[in-house]
Amino acid sequence: MSREAPLDQVGRTEVPWLDRARLADKLRADWERIATATAAHAQPQAHALLETLRPEAHIRDRHHTVPRFLLKRWANASEQVHVYSRIENKRRNGNIRDLAITDFYTFVDRDGRKDSRLESALGYVEDETAPILDRLLSPFGSGPLDQKGLAKLAQFASVQSVRTARQKRELELMVEWYAKTGARGRISDQDLRSIEIVPHQNDFIRGIGQRAEAMFPVIAARPLALVTLDQPLLLIGDDPVIFNVPDHPPHTPDCYLSDEEIEERCRRRRRKDRRTSGSGRKRIVHIYSTVSKGAGVALEIVMPISPRAALIWGPLHEGRFLDHFERDHLTGSDCQDFAAHANEATCNQALDWTVARPEDSSFATRNFPEVRLPLAICDGVNAASSALNTVPARLRPARLSASP
């Protein structure tokens, strides 16, 4: 990463979102070449680590989708916090141990046995990160981080952003849309609407590493700052890595066409050239999250790490990775403004719960956003699109115990 080559000097167009996406793709390609060159050395170490993990170690345990060591920074000595459940629309005092889901990261191996090694592997990432955050937040902490420390924080944010309940529920809805789209014409629309399709637990588990690996270079390539506040104002939610994406991919012309208009366009094309009958593009389907997403296209990425502190990865730059860290302390109105914007994003992005300190008196009167669609889609009106464009009866992700 080089501060001498910011995004606005790299082939800028009139579409800022597209500029950032192109730079992110380039950084991913650069990183893939580096990763490929080092894979032969890293893979034996990874396999050796896996061999030390016991498959049964965390079966039937409650797995935290936001690490417990992080949540403890919002808790009192008894590990109590204020909790707001968006799904239940309730406030309560609770223990951070209850902000967990049994067997959330447990998968089924090829012999049909439950395997909890992913939970152990995630614990390894957390154990690597916790001392770094402790040092950053300590009043006796040292100065800038070295490249190894910066890489571990980028890795932690990458993994944290893809391991959440929201990510799993979005995947489930995508699979349901895809399956119902494939069944259209063979099963009636009415019957499809009455069916809920749930992917296997392993589908989510399999994708965590792949998605985190793709996200790592576009987080690691950003300058990192630790922002501290003079008051403990920050909240944390169940999807705590916040992406500031002010401009999103625009709708396509197909988004504004009805099913009848799409079908008429297909008929005209078939009449124009009989050789393409039944082939060619029929419709561009636009699927998008209802919260701000996109590590590559975000202007900055924010992760609260205590009620008084947050990590901020700044705008993308070209060049090499992991070479810039700074500290910033906010007071007065700057502190209030930063906390207000961060907390609004935290509350909007949470699938279910948001947490505050037990001493936070403003929590009881805070206005939280209502339940909303996790995903939305422009795909006409049918059973498949309704699975995304209607608030689902089940907002929480499926449980492994409920799987066949």
Side-chain angles (χ1 to χ4, degrees), residues 257-271 282:
L257 299 179
S258 66
D259 291 338
E260 292 75 15
E261 289 170 325
I262 292 289
E263 182 57 35
E264 176 58 28
R265 184 177 68 186
C266 291
R267 282 196 294 267
R268 289 197 303 268
R269 287 179 177 173
R270 286 195 292 269
R271 287 196 296 268
K282 293 186 176 181

Side-chain angles (χ1 to χ4, degrees), residues 151-336:
K152 287 180 179 179
L153 291 180
Q155 179 190 49
F156 179 70
S158 302
V159 172
Q160 181 56 57
S161 66
V162 301
R163 61 180 284 189
T164 64
R166 171 178 283 279
Q167 287 288 321
K168 186 176 183 185
R169 191 65 187 107
E170 287 185 359
L171 171 66
E172 291 173 357
L173 291 170
M174 283 287 296
V175 169
E176 183 166 9
W177 169 80
Y178 186 82
K180 288 184 176 180
T181 296
R184 286 169 64 180
R186 291 176 288 173
I187 302 175
S188 72
D189 197 76
Q190 181 178 356
D191 287 342
L192 283 175
R193 290 174 185 271
S194 67
I195 298 171
E196 181 185 10
I197 299 169
V198 180
H200 195 279
Q201 170 85 352
N202 288 14
D203 292 334
F204 171 65
I205 301 299
R206 187 180 298 111
I208 287 179
Q210 297 169 347
R211 294 193 299 273
E213 185 176 2
M215 196 168 290
F216 173 78
V218 294
I219 295 181
R222 297 169 180 266
L224 175 62
L226 172 68
V227 175
T228 56
L229 312 182
D230 65 354
Q231 299 178 59
L233 300 177
L234 295 175
L235 308 176
I236 191 169
D238 59 15
D239 196 14
V241 182
I242 302 165
F243 302 97
N244 177 18
V245 187
D247 53 337
H248 300 272
H251 286 286
T252 72
D254 285 15
C255 294
Y256 303 98
L257 299 179
S258 66
D259 291 338
E260 292 75 15
E261 289 170 325
I262 292 289
E263 182 57 35
E264 176 58 28
R265 184 177 68 186
C266 291
R267 282 196 294 267
R268 289 197 303 268
R269 287 179 177 173
R270 286 195 292 269
R271 287 196 296 268
K272 183 177 180 181
D273 187 350
R274 295 292 182 182
R275 293 173 299 175
T276 63
S277 178
S279 63
R281 180 176 71 82
K282 293 186 176 181
R283 183 179 214 145
I284 295 176
V285 175
H286 181 198
I287 303 175
Y288 53 97
S289 178
T290 56
V291 298
S292 185
K293 290 287 186 180
V297 296
L299 289 182
E300 63 243 342
I301 300 169
V302 181
M303 182 170 64
I305 57 173
S306 87
R308 289 180 179 269
L311 296 175
I312 300 183
W313 286 268
L316 276 178
H317 288 63
E318 277 225 284
R320 61 191 181 86
F321 304 91
L322 303 167
D323 68 349
H324 185 69
F325 174 77
E326 62 183 46
R327 297 171 182 265
D328 193 11
H329 183 70
L330 302 181
T331 61
S333 61
D334 290 338
C335 168
Q336 298 280 346

Side-chain angles (χ1 to χ4, degrees), residues 33 42 57 62 91 117 134 163 165 248 251 302 366 370:
R33 287 191 288 272
R62 308 188 77 177
R91 291 173 170 85
R117 279 180 289 182
D134 287 342
R163 61 180 284 189
H248 300 272
H251 286 286
V302 181
R366 176 178 287 276
E370 296 179 354

Side-chain angles (χ1 to χ4, degrees), residues 36-231:
T36 301
T38 59
H41 173 69
Q43 284 182 354
Q45 294 178 321
H47 287 301
L49 173 62
L50 285 174
E51 289 298 320
T52 68
L53 305 179
R54 294 188 297 117
E56 72 283 0
H58 296 289
I59 293 175
R60 293 183 295 277
D61 284 358
R62 308 188 77 177
H63 302 170
H64 281 84
T65 58
V66 178
R68 187 166 181 166
F69 84 85
L70 202 56
L71 294 173
K72 287 175 72 172
R73 298 190 182 280
W74 276 262
N76 61 19
S78 302
E79 299 196 343
Q80 296 289 311
V81 290
H82 279 327
V83 183
Y84 173 75
S85 170
R86 188 178 192 177
I87 294 174
E88 298 171 359
N89 190 24
K90 290 182 180 179
R91 291 173 170 85
R92 70 178 190 276
N93 292 326
N95 194 291
I96 59 173
R97 68 169 176 267
D98 298 325
L99 302 175
I101 306 172
T102 303
D103 277 333
F104 188 76
Y105 299 114
T106 298
F107 59 94
V108 179
D109 69 15
R110 292 178 179 177
D111 295 320
R113 296 172 298 194
K114 290 184 177 181
D115 190 317
S116 66
R117 279 180 289 182
L118 177 60
E119 169 69 1
S120 300
L122 291 172
Y124 177 81
V125 174
E126 294 167 16
D127 290 344
E128 290 272 289
T129 307
I132 300 174
L133 296 184
D134 287 342
R135 181 160 60 89
L136 288 178
L137 296 176
S138 169
F140 309 106
S142 59
L145 292 173
D146 60 15
Q147 289 194 358
K148 186 176 181 181
L150 291 168
K152 287 180 179 179
L153 291 180
Q155 179 190 49
F156 179 70
S158 302
V159 172
Q160 181 56 57
S161 66
V162 301
R163 61 180 284 189
T164 64
R166 171 178 283 279
Q167 287 288 321
K168 186 176 183 185
R169 191 65 187 107
E170 287 185 359
L171 171 66
E172 291 173 357
L173 291 170
M174 283 287 296
V175 169
E176 183 166 9
W177 169 80
Y178 186 82
K180 288 184 176 180
T181 296
R184 286 169 64 180
R186 291 176 288 173
I187 302 175
S188 72
D189 197 76
Q190 181 178 356
D191 287 342
L192 283 175
R193 290 174 185 271
S194 67
I195 298 171
E196 181 185 10
I197 299 169
V198 180
H200 195 279
Q201 170 85 352
N202 288 14
D203 292 334
F204 171 65
I205 301 299
R206 187 180 298 111
I208 287 179
Q210 297 169 347
R211 294 193 299 273
E213 185 176 2
M215 196 168 290
F216 173 78
V218 294
I219 295 181
R222 297 169 180 266
L224 175 62
L226 172 68
V227 175
T228 56
L229 312 182
D230 65 354
Q231 299 178 59

Side-chain angles (χ1 to χ4, degrees), residues 325-374:
F325 174 77
E326 62 183 46
R327 297 171 182 265
D328 193 11
H329 183 70
L330 302 181
T331 61
S333 61
D334 290 338
C335 168
Q336 298 280 346
D337 289 346
F338 178 86
H341 285 97
N343 289 340
E344 181 182 10
T346 293
C347 295
N348 282 331
Q349 190 161 297
L351 178 68
D352 187 8
W353 54 260
T354 306
V355 156
R357 300 176 307 117
E359 300 83 8
D360 188 342
S361 59
S362 67
F363 195 74
T365 57
R366 176 178 287 276
N367 292 321
F368 290 94
E370 296 179 354
V371 165
R372 63 193 298 188
L373 305 169

